[in-house]
Amino acid sequence: MSSPNGRSRPNKRELRARLLTARRARSAPERERAGSAVRETLLELPWLARGATVACYYSVGGEPDTRALVHALWKRGTHVLLPVLLPDGSLDWAVFDGPDSLAPAGRGLLEPVGHRHGPRALEHADAVVCPALAVDRRGNRMGRGAGCYDRALAHKGPRTPAIAVVHDEEFVGELPTEPHDRPVDAVVTPSGGLHVFGPGAALRSGG
């Protein structure tokens, strides 16, 4: 694949490997600082502040920390849904009810052990905070390659914003895309805060 200036652009596999390598090099304090900044931005958004149900994820590895965000939403009384990875690669959803409601699930993941609400639970969420390896300026999202969030986001309502969380350097100009890729409505980075995509984004029709 070539860019307009003639330089070759990395394909998805190469770019994903590069991003994962960079994440593995991040220190725990760096991830915590990034998570703290992201959390402050997200908690002030009306879609999370006033939302009765928010789907989120429990960060692992080099991801910006979202565990404190999950705890803060829960302490507010928000109904927080966390993903449960199914054998077929799709996501189910169960409620976070404090640290004791989580159990190890392989790959470093912690998943809720309570009642599962089914893959279509996002239909009833007021906002979806989703992981990403990178997001570009058009709202295209790159995940880890399994496609589980592309399939999950297909179930969210048209007025429910999908908000990705990435490190500053992972908000890029352009990403390679495929037909099955689902864009997000906004991205939050530690230094840049919230960036909303497009006049028709769900974030512009809410609040």
Side-chain angles (χ1 to χ4, degrees):
M1 181 182 298
S2 297
S3 62
N5 62 15
R7 295 179 181 176
S8 62
R9 292 184 298 184
N11 61 32
K12 267 191 167 184
R13 182 176 297 179
E14 293 170 344
L15 183 54
R16 189 175 283 120
R18 187 184 305 170
L19 292 164
L20 286 169
T21 297
R23 280 195 170 181
R24 284 192 290 269
R26 295 182 184 274
S27 66
E30 184 180 3
R31 295 195 302 269
E32 291 170 5
R33 287 193 298 271
S36 178
V38 164
R39 181 175 72 253
E40 289 182 11
T41 297
L42 286 167
L43 287 175
E44 292 179 358
L45 297 181
W47 303 272
L48 274 72
R50 298 200 298 264
T53 300
V54 173
C56 196
Y57 66 100
Y58 218 62
S59 57
V60 295
E63 295 174 336
D65 178 72
T66 60
R67 298 186 177 197
L69 170 67
V70 169
H71 285 253
L73 289 169
W74 173 61
K75 289 181 179 179
R76 276 183 176 179
T78 304
H79 198 64
V80 182
L81 295 173
L82 294 181
V84 177
L85 183 62
L86 299 178
D88 66 357
S90 61
L91 297 179
D92 204 332
W93 300 87
V95 175
F96 175 78
D97 193 21
D100 293 339
S101 69
L102 300 175
R107 304 180 186 179
L109 298 172
L110 290 173
E111 294 180 344
V113 297
H115 173 73
R116 297 182 184 180
H117 294 265
R120 303 186 72 90
L122 294 192
E123 292 178 349
H124 309 293
D126 296 291
V128 181
V129 179
C130 59
L133 282 178
V135 175
D136 73 14
R137 300 285 171 176
R138 296 177 297 171
N140 295 311
R141 170 190 169 274
M142 175 179 283
R144 290 177 176 264
C148 54
Y149 265 90
D150 289 314
R151 292 188 292 274
L153 291 176
H155 295 303
K156 78 176 185 68
R159 293 176 62 86
T160 299
I163 308 166
V165 175
V166 296
H167 293 285
D168 295 324
E169 299 83 358
E170 297 164 348
F171 186 24
V172 301
E174 184 179 1
L175 289 171
T177 60
E178 297 176 71
H180 66 266
D181 291 332
R182 291 216 165 235
V184 291
D185 300 294
V187 63
V188 173
T189 65
S191 297
L194 177 72
H195 184 97
V196 177
F197 303 110
L203 274 160
R204 297 197 189 279
S205 63

Short mmCIF file of all heavy atoms in Angstrom, two decimals, residues 29-72:
data_model
loop_
_atom_site.label_atom_id
_atom_site.label_comp_id
_atom_site.label_asym_id
_atom_site.label_seq_id
_atom_site.Cartn_x
_atom_site.Cartn_y
_atom_site.Cartn_z
N PRO A 29 3.70 3.48 35.96
CA PRO A 29 3.34 4.87 36.29
C PRO A 29 2.85 5.66 35.08
O PRO A 29 1.94 6.49 35.21
CB PRO A 29 4.66 5.44 36.83
CG PRO A 29 5.40 4.26 37.36
CD PRO A 29 5.06 3.15 36.41
N GLU A 30 3.43 5.41 33.90
CA GLU A 30 2.98 6.11 32.70
C GLU A 30 1.54 5.73 32.36
O GLU A 30 0.73 6.59 32.02
CB GLU A 30 3.91 5.76 31.54
CG GLU A 30 3.60 6.52 30.26
CD GLU A 30 4.52 6.15 29.12
OE1 GLU A 30 5.37 5.27 29.30
OE2 GLU A 30 4.38 6.75 28.04
N ARG A 31 1.23 4.45 32.46
CA ARG A 31 -0.15 4.01 32.17
C ARG A 31 -1.12 4.60 33.18
O ARG A 31 -2.24 4.97 32.84
CB ARG A 31 -0.21 2.49 32.20
CG ARG A 31 0.61 1.81 31.11
CD ARG A 31 0.24 0.35 30.94
NE ARG A 31 0.39 -0.42 32.17
CZ ARG A 31 1.50 -1.05 32.51
NH1 ARG A 31 2.58 -0.98 31.74
NH2 ARG A 31 1.55 -1.76 33.62
N GLU A 32 -0.70 4.68 34.44
CA GLU A 32 -1.57 5.24 35.47
C GLU A 32 -1.82 6.73 35.25
O GLU A 32 -2.93 7.22 35.42
CB GLU A 32 -0.97 4.98 36.84
CG GLU A 32 -0.98 3.52 37.25
CD GLU A 32 -0.16 3.26 38.51
OE1 GLU A 32 0.33 4.24 39.10
OE2 GLU A 32 -0.02 2.08 38.88
N ARG A 33 -0.75 7.46 34.86
CA ARG A 33 -0.92 8.89 34.58
C ARG A 33 -1.85 9.10 33.40
O ARG A 33 -2.72 9.98 33.42
CB ARG A 33 0.43 9.55 34.31
CG ARG A 33 1.30 9.73 35.54
CD ARG A 33 2.47 10.65 35.24
NE ARG A 33 3.36 10.12 34.21
CZ ARG A 33 4.40 9.34 34.46
NH1 ARG A 33 4.67 8.98 35.71
NH2 ARG A 33 5.17 8.91 33.48
N ALA A 34 -1.68 8.28 32.36
CA ALA A 34 -2.56 8.38 31.20
C ALA A 34 -4.00 8.07 31.60
O ALA A 34 -4.94 8.77 31.20
CB ALA A 34 -2.10 7.42 30.11
N GLY A 35 -4.18 7.04 32.41
CA GLY A 35 -5.52 6.67 32.86
C GLY A 35 -6.18 7.74 33.70
O GLY A 35 -7.38 7.98 33.58
N SER A 36 -5.39 8.40 34.54
CA SER A 36 -5.94 9.46 35.39
C SER A 36 -6.46 10.62 34.54
O SER A 36 -7.56 11.14 34.78
CB SER A 36 -4.87 9.95 36.36
OG SER A 36 -5.36 11.01 37.16
N ALA A 37 -5.68 11.02 33.53
CA ALA A 37 -6.10 12.12 32.66
C ALA A 37 -7.34 11.75 31.86
O ALA A 37 -8.28 12.54 31.72
CB ALA A 37 -4.95 12.50 31.73
N VAL A 38 -7.35 10.53 31.33
CA VAL A 38 -8.50 10.06 30.56
C VAL A 38 -9.74 9.98 31.44
O VAL A 38 -10.84 10.36 31.03
CB VAL A 38 -8.17 8.69 29.92
CG1 VAL A 38 -9.43 7.99 29.44
CG2 VAL A 38 -7.18 8.86 28.77
N ARG A 39 -9.56 9.49 32.65
CA ARG A 39 -10.70 9.36 33.56
C ARG A 39 -11.33 10.72 33.86
O ARG A 39 -12.57 10.85 33.87
CB ARG A 39 -10.23 8.70 34.87
CG ARG A 39 -11.37 8.50 35.88
CD ARG A 39 -10.88 7.74 37.10
NE ARG A 39 -10.01 8.54 37.95
CZ ARG A 39 -8.68 8.38 38.06
NH1 ARG A 39 -8.05 7.47 37.36
NH2 ARG A 39 -7.98 9.14 38.87
N GLU A 40 -10.51 11.74 34.09
CA GLU A 40 -11.06 13.07 34.38
C GLU A 40 -11.90 13.58 33.23
O GLU A 40 -12.97 14.18 33.43
CB GLU A 40 -9.91 14.04 34.67
CG GLU A 40 -9.21 13.79 36.01
CD GLU A 40 -8.12 14.81 36.28
OE1 GLU A 40 -8.06 15.81 35.53
OE2 GLU A 40 -7.34 14.61 37.22
N THR A 41 -11.44 13.35 32.01
CA THR A 41 -12.21 13.78 30.83
C THR A 41 -13.52 13.01 30.72
O THR A 41 -14.59 13.59 30.54
CB THR A 41 -11.39 13.57 29.55
OG1 THR A 41 -10.21 14.39 29.60
CG2 THR A 41 -12.20 13.94 28.31
N LEU A 42 -13.45 11.69 30.84
CA LEU A 42 -14.64 10.86 30.64
C LEU A 42 -15.70 11.10 31.71
O LEU A 42 -16.90 11.14 31.40
CB LEU A 42 -14.23 9.39 30.61
CG LEU A 42 -13.52 8.93 29.34
CD1 LEU A 42 -12.89 7.55 29.55
CD2 LEU A 42 -14.49 8.88 28.16
N LEU A 43 -15.29 11.26 32.94
CA LEU A 43 -16.27 11.42 34.02
C LEU A 43 -17.06 12.71 33.90
O LEU A 43 -18.14 12.83 34.46
CB LEU A 43 -15.57 11.35 35.38
CG LEU A 43 -15.09 9.97 35.82
CD1 LEU A 43 -14.31 10.06 37.13
CD2 LEU A 43 -16.25 9.00 35.96
N GLU A 44 -16.51 13.69 33.17
CA GLU A 44 -17.22 14.96 32.99
C GLU A 44 -18.17 14.95 31.80
O GLU A 44 -18.98 15.87 31.64
CB GLU A 44 -16.21 16.10 32.82
CG GLU A 44 -15.40 16.38 34.09
CD GLU A 44 -14.39 17.49 33.87
OE1 GLU A 44 -14.31 18.00 32.73
OE2 GLU A 44 -13.70 17.86 34.83
N LEU A 45 -18.09 13.93 30.95
CA LEU A 45 -18.97 13.89 29.79
C LEU A 45 -20.41 13.59 30.22
O LEU A 45 -20.64 12.69 31.03
CB LEU A 45 -18.50 12.81 28.81
CG LEU A 45 -17.13 13.01 28.17
CD1 LEU A 45 -16.83 11.87 27.21
CD2 LEU A 45 -17.03 14.35 27.47
N PRO A 46 -21.40 14.31 29.69
CA PRO A 46 -22.78 14.09 30.10
C PRO A 46 -23.27 12.68 29.82
O PRO A 46 -24.12 12.16 30.54
CB PRO A 46 -23.57 15.13 29.30
CG PRO A 46 -22.68 15.52 28.17
CD PRO A 46 -21.28 15.40 28.70
N TRP A 47 -22.74 12.03 28.77
CA TRP A 47 -23.19 10.69 28.41
C TRP A 47 -22.77 9.66 29.45
O TRP A 47 -23.37 8.61 29.55
CB TRP A 47 -22.66 10.33 27.04
CG TRP A 47 -23.09 11.35 26.03
CD1 TRP A 47 -24.25 11.36 25.31
CD2 TRP A 47 -22.40 12.54 25.70
NE1 TRP A 47 -24.31 12.48 24.53
CE2 TRP A 47 -23.19 13.23 24.75
CE3 TRP A 47 -21.19 13.11 26.10
CZ2 TRP A 47 -22.80 14.46 24.19
CZ3 TRP A 47 -20.80 14.32 25.55
CH2 TRP A 47 -21.60 14.97 24.60
N LEU A 48 -21.72 9.98 30.21
CA LEU A 48 -21.31 9.11 31.32
C LEU A 48 -21.84 9.64 32.64
O LEU A 48 -22.25 8.88 33.52
CB LEU A 48 -19.79 8.98 31.39
CG LEU A 48 -19.18 7.88 30.51
CD1 LEU A 48 -19.26 8.26 29.04
CD2 LEU A 48 -17.75 7.59 30.91
N ALA A 49 -21.85 10.96 32.81
CA ALA A 49 -22.28 11.55 34.07
C ALA A 49 -23.76 11.29 34.33
O ALA A 49 -24.18 11.06 35.47
CB ALA A 49 -22.01 13.05 34.07
N ARG A 50 -24.57 11.33 33.26
CA ARG A 50 -26.01 11.16 33.43
C ARG A 50 -26.49 9.79 32.97
O ARG A 50 -27.66 9.46 33.13
CB ARG A 50 -26.75 12.25 32.65
CG ARG A 50 -26.45 13.66 33.13
CD ARG A 50 -27.52 14.62 32.69
NE ARG A 50 -27.64 14.73 31.24
CZ ARG A 50 -27.05 15.67 30.52
NH1 ARG A 50 -26.29 16.58 31.11
NH2 ARG A 50 -27.22 15.73 29.21
N GLY A 51 -25.59 9.00 32.38
CA GLY A 51 -26.00 7.70 31.87
C GLY A 51 -26.28 6.71 32.97
O GLY A 51 -25.51 6.58 33.93
N ALA A 52 -27.40 6.00 32.86
CA ALA A 52 -27.72 4.97 33.85
C ALA A 52 -26.90 3.71 33.61
O ALA A 52 -26.55 3.00 34.55
CB ALA A 52 -29.22 4.65 33.79
N THR A 53 -26.59 3.43 32.34
CA THR A 53 -25.84 2.23 31.97
C THR A 53 -24.70 2.61 31.04
O THR A 53 -24.93 3.23 30.00
CB THR A 53 -26.74 1.20 31.26
OG1 THR A 53 -27.80 0.82 32.14
CG2 THR A 53 -25.95 -0.04 30.87
N VAL A 54 -23.50 2.26 31.43
CA VAL A 54 -22.31 2.54 30.63
C VAL A 54 -21.54 1.25 30.42
O VAL A 54 -21.24 0.53 31.39
CB VAL A 54 -21.40 3.59 31.30
CG1 VAL A 54 -20.09 3.73 30.53
CG2 VAL A 54 -22.11 4.93 31.40
N ALA A 55 -21.25 0.91 29.18
CA ALA A 55 -20.39 -0.23 28.89
C ALA A 55 -18.95 0.26 28.85
O ALA A 55 -18.65 1.27 28.22
CB ALA A 55 -20.78 -0.85 27.55
N CYS A 56 -18.08 -0.45 29.53
CA CYS A 56 -16.69 -0.06 29.60
C CYS A 56 -15.83 -1.32 29.48
O CYS A 56 -16.32 -2.38 29.08
CB CYS A 56 -16.43 0.69 30.91
SG CYS A 56 -14.88 1.64 30.95
N TYR A 57 -14.55 -1.22 29.79
CA TYR A 57 -13.66 -2.38 29.77
C TYR A 57 -12.63 -2.21 30.87
O TYR A 57 -12.35 -1.10 31.32
CB TYR A 57 -12.99 -2.55 28.40
CG TYR A 57 -12.03 -1.44 28.04
CD1 TYR A 57 -10.65 -1.61 28.19
CD2 TYR A 57 -12.49 -0.22 27.55
CE1 TYR A 57 -9.77 -0.59 27.87
CE2 TYR A 57 -11.62 0.79 27.22
CZ TYR A 57 -10.26 0.62 27.39
OH TYR A 57 -9.40 1.63 27.08
N TYR A 58 -12.11 -3.32 31.34
CA TYR A 58 -11.14 -3.34 32.42
C TYR A 58 -9.76 -3.49 31.80
O TYR A 58 -9.40 -4.55 31.32
CB TYR A 58 -11.46 -4.51 33.36
CG TYR A 58 -11.25 -4.24 34.82
CD1 TYR A 58 -11.97 -3.25 35.48
CD2 TYR A 58 -10.33 -4.98 35.57
CE1 TYR A 58 -11.79 -3.00 36.83
CE2 TYR A 58 -10.15 -4.75 36.92
CZ TYR A 58 -10.87 -3.76 37.55
OH TYR A 58 -10.69 -3.51 38.89
N SER A 59 -8.98 -2.41 31.80
CA SER A 59 -7.74 -2.35 31.03
C SER A 59 -6.73 -3.42 31.45
O SER A 59 -6.69 -3.86 32.60
CB SER A 59 -7.11 -0.97 31.18
OG SER A 59 -6.87 -0.67 32.55
N VAL A 60 -5.91 -3.81 30.48
CA VAL A 60 -4.83 -4.77 30.72
C VAL A 60 -3.58 -4.29 29.98
O VAL A 60 -3.67 -3.48 29.05
CB VAL A 60 -5.19 -6.20 30.25
CG1 VAL A 60 -6.34 -6.76 31.03
CG2 VAL A 60 -5.50 -6.20 28.75
N GLY A 61 -2.43 -4.81 30.39
CA GLY A 61 -1.19 -4.54 29.68
C GLY A 61 -0.89 -3.07 29.56
O GLY A 61 -1.00 -2.31 30.51
N GLY A 62 -0.51 -2.64 28.34
CA GLY A 62 -0.09 -1.27 28.12
C GLY A 62 -1.21 -0.30 27.83
O GLY A 62 -0.95 0.86 27.49
N GLU A 63 -2.45 -0.72 27.96
CA GLU A 63 -3.58 0.18 27.72
C GLU A 63 -3.61 1.29 28.76
O GLU A 63 -3.22 1.08 29.92
CB GLU A 63 -4.90 -0.59 27.79
CG GLU A 63 -5.08 -1.62 26.70
CD GLU A 63 -6.34 -2.45 26.88
OE1 GLU A 63 -6.82 -2.57 28.03
OE2 GLU A 63 -6.82 -3.00 25.88
N PRO A 64 -4.06 2.50 28.39
CA PRO A 64 -4.31 3.52 29.42
C PRO A 64 -5.25 2.93 30.48
O PRO A 64 -6.24 2.28 30.15
CB PRO A 64 -4.99 4.65 28.65
CG PRO A 64 -4.55 4.46 27.23
CD PRO A 64 -4.43 2.98 27.05
N ASP A 65 -4.92 3.15 31.73
CA ASP A 65 -5.69 2.52 32.81
C ASP A 65 -7.15 2.98 32.79
O ASP A 65 -7.44 4.18 32.79
CB ASP A 65 -5.07 2.87 34.16
CG ASP A 65 -5.85 2.28 35.31
OD1 ASP A 65 -5.79 1.06 35.48
OD2 ASP A 65 -6.56 3.04 36.00
N THR A 66 -8.09 2.03 32.76
CA THR A 66 -9.52 2.34 32.89
C THR A 66 -10.13 1.71 34.13
O THR A 66 -11.33 1.85 34.36
CB THR A 66 -10.32 1.86 31.66
OG1 THR A 66 -10.17 0.43 31.53
CG2 THR A 66 -9.85 2.54 30.38
N ARG A 67 -9.32 1.04 34.91
CA ARG A 67 -9.87 0.35 36.10
C ARG A 67 -10.41 1.36 37.11
O ARG A 67 -11.48 1.16 37.68
CB ARG A 67 -8.80 -0.54 36.72
CG ARG A 67 -8.34 -1.64 35.77
CD ARG A 67 -7.40 -2.62 36.43
NE ARG A 67 -7.03 -3.69 35.49
CZ ARG A 67 -6.51 -4.85 35.84
NH1 ARG A 67 -6.26 -5.10 37.13
NH2 ARG A 67 -6.22 -5.77 34.94
N ALA A 68 -9.68 2.47 37.29
CA ALA A 68 -10.17 3.49 38.21
C ALA A 68 -11.44 4.15 37.68
O ALA A 68 -12.31 4.55 38.46
CB ALA A 68 -9.08 4.54 38.46
N LEU A 69 -11.55 4.27 36.36
CA LEU A 69 -12.78 4.81 35.77
C LEU A 69 -13.96 3.90 36.08
O LEU A 69 -15.04 4.36 36.47
CB LEU A 69 -12.61 4.94 34.25
CG LEU A 69 -13.88 5.24 33.45
CD1 LEU A 69 -14.41 6.63 33.78
CD2 LEU A 69 -13.61 5.10 31.95
N VAL A 70 -13.76 2.59 35.91
CA VAL A 70 -14.83 1.63 36.19
C VAL A 70 -15.27 1.75 37.65
O VAL A 70 -16.47 1.79 37.96
CB VAL A 70 -14.36 0.20 35.87
CG1 VAL A 70 -15.35 -0.83 36.41
CG2 VAL A 70 -14.18 0.03 34.37
N HIS A 71 -14.31 1.84 38.56
CA HIS A 71 -14.63 1.95 39.99
C HIS A 71 -15.37 3.25 40.28
O HIS A 71 -16.32 3.27 41.07
CB HIS A 71 -13.36 1.86 40.83
CG HIS A 71 -12.82 0.47 40.94
ND1 HIS A 71 -12.89 -0.28 42.10
CD2 HIS A 71 -12.20 -0.32 40.03
CE1 HIS A 71 -12.33 -1.46 41.90
NE2 HIS A 71 -11.91 -1.51 40.65
N ALA A 72 -14.93 4.35 39.65
CA ALA A 72 -15.57 5.64 39.90
C ALA A 72 -17.01 5.65 39.40
O ALA A 72 -17.92 6.16 40.09
CB ALA A 72 -14.78 6.76 39.22
#
